[in-house]
Amino acid sequence: QVQVVESGGGLVQAGGSLKLSCTYSGIIASLINSMGWYRQAPGKEREMVAVIINRTTAKYGDSVQGRFTVSTDNPKKTMYLQMNSLKPDDSGVYYCKIVSAYRRDYWGQGTQVTVSS
């Protein structure tokens, strides 16, 4: 059974930084097609923040390009999201999603990020 757990969220002032972690179990890295971070603010649709495809190619949402960095540590089965120069608009629940080679999606429960102005 694949499990995905996010951590690292919290309250930070605008301009500050946070680093989120996504740890998974129940699947080996070679069977992961992509891993990504998504976020959802109240009243808004869930949006893509950053995705790593085939463990090599990283893509970012336009609003976070140049401020956020996604990375993975395969031995630790963990993906990270380093978030710098945070803005109040970055607030929301951040979710981790794993897409397996069999095209199944696995989501974590989310971690709350709040950026105060």
Side-chain angles (χ1 to χ4, degrees):
Q1 180 179 354
V2 178
Q3 292 186 325
V4 181
V5 179
E6 304 95 334
S7 61
L11 174 63
V12 64
Q13 288 188 334
S17 298
L18 275 177
K19 187 174 184 178
L20 305 183
S21 299
C22 167
T23 302
Y24 63 90
S25 61
I27 187 171
I28 59 175
S30 61
L31 291 180
I32 295 175
N33 185 44
S34 67
M35 298 179 62
W37 289 97
Y38 297 76
R39 69 186 180 191
Q40 187 165 22
K44 295 186 178 181
E45 293 187 355
R46 192 171 296 187
E47 63 174 345
M48 187 273 287
V49 175
V51 175
I52 292 182
I53 301 169
N54 292 331
R55 290 171 285 170
T56 57
T57 303
K59 295 186 177 181
Y60 297 90
D62 290 341
S63 63
V64 306
Q65 184 77 43
R67 299 187 296 122
F68 290 11
T69 303
V70 63
S71 61
T72 60
D73 185 332
N74 289 333
K76 292 184 177 180
K77 294 190 172 184
T78 301
M79 176 177 64
Y80 302 99
L81 183 67
Q82 177 66 48
M83 306 186 294
N84 299 327
S85 302
L86 283 162
K87 306 174 182 179
D89 284 348
D90 293 319
S91 297
V93 180
Y94 282 68
Y95 298 92
C96 174
K97 184 178 82 168
I98 292 176
V99 180
S100 75
Y102 305 108
R103 305 301 185 194
R104 288 195 62 180
D105 294 352
Y106 300 93
W107 290 90
Q109 82 290 346
T111 186
Q112 177 71 46
V113 172
T114 303
V115 184
S116 63
S117 57

